[in-house]
Amino acid sequence: MKNVVLIGFMGCGKSTVGIRLSYRLRRVVEDTDRRIEREQGKSISEIFAEQGEAYFRELETDLLRRMKQEPGIRIIATGGGLPMRKENRRLLHELGQVIYLQLSPETVYERLKNDTSRPLLQGEDPLGKIQKLMSERAPVYEETADIVINVDGNDMEKTLQMIEAALAEREEQA
Ligand code: S3P
């Protein structure tokens, strides 16, 4: 068994699925955003506002490099923009099996319309921002993933069952 790495757009449920999966698979869960916040002593919004997005992207890559050296098999939930760097995609693959939680821009909008913690979606026309970012990112998520799970319309239980079934199938094939 390798690490299980969750990728996907903001609001697709990586953090929540990560926590639930950690109970089911009895493995520690690590969330890259939460760890960066802990290590920096600041929220993601504060890091974006004070140091800028480029600095945050460096923190993500630096964290992945360190995680690769760390022992133990974990569930790793990642920030939505993390797979956009080529080096990060390579590191994600070295870390484990990559699962993409796919969902539509409309569902993201519904889930995040009152959220203030995602700096990239603040301001005018959040749905337009989601659609634009999603169209740039979806092909990259797909290319990066070993397993794609469509979560639109699923409840949490269904999503967890689909992930477990996909992981079991890959175990059999290995
Ligand atoms: C980002 C997603 C966020 C967080 C930051 C940037 C992105 O994580 O890393 O706000 O570029 O999509 P979530 O996907 O957990 O919201």
Side-chain angles (χ1 to χ4, degrees):
M1 264 275 187
K2 298 198 243 170
N3 291 305
V4 170
V5 180
L6 301 171
I7 65 166
F9 205 82
M10 291 171 264
C12 71
K14 294 164 297 214
S15 303
T16 317
V17 168
I19 292 168
R20 296 290 297 272
L21 212 52
S22 87
Y23 291 130
R24 305 256 287 230
L25 302 179
R26 295 178 198 285
R27 296 206 221 156
V28 171
V29 63
E30 181 105 79
D31 188 307
T32 58
D33 282 340
R34 299 295 83 75
R35 183 152 163 194
I36 287 172
E37 289 184 324
R38 210 165 58 236
E39 291 181 350
Q40 297 295 308
K42 289 178 190 179
S43 69
I44 302 290
S45 300
E46 285 168 336
I47 298 170
F48 268 69
E50 292 167 21
Q51 278 111 344
E53 180 174 350
Y55 181 79
F56 173 71
R57 299 299 173 198
E58 289 300 323
L59 294 176
E60 288 186 315
T61 302
D62 174 67
L63 174 57
L64 288 185
R65 289 191 193 126
R66 286 184 288 128
M67 285 175 94
K68 238 195 79 186
Q69 311 302 324
E70 293 168 358
I73 296 178
R74 292 174 281 191
I75 317 275
I76 301 169
T78 58
L82 187 144
M84 300 311 288
R85 259 196 193 187
K86 194 166 178 210
E87 180 181 358
N88 294 355
R89 294 199 285 279
R90 182 178 55 75
L91 288 163
L92 291 177
H93 275 294
E94 288 169 3
L95 274 164
Q97 309 201 62
V98 181
I99 303 184
Y100 167 31
L101 303 181
Q102 185 181 53
L103 84 177
S104 69
E106 291 72 27
T107 312
V108 174
Y109 175 71
E110 277 309 310
R111 289 187 183 188
L112 298 184
K113 61 184 177 200
N114 298 318
D115 178 90
T116 54
S117 69
R118 267 91 170 182
L120 295 180
L121 303 182
Q122 302 311 301
E124 293 289 294
D125 191 18
L127 179 58
K129 287 183 178 147
I130 292 168
Q131 285 165 332
K132 180 168 183 296
L133 265 184
M134 182 84 93
S135 67
E136 293 162 8
R137 289 178 175 187
V140 179
Y141 294 142
E142 275 165 41
E143 169 205 316
T144 313
D146 298 306
I147 296 169
V148 180
I149 304 281
N150 190 293
V151 300
D152 265 318
N154 281 3
D155 60 15
M156 182 56 66
E157 184 57 32
K158 176 96 199 296
T159 297
L160 293 170
Q161 280 173 10
M162 286 167 80
I163 292 174
E164 284 183 316
L167 287 172
E169 195 179 317
R170 286 181 66 90
E171 279 279 289
E172 270 173 34
Q173 287 164 3

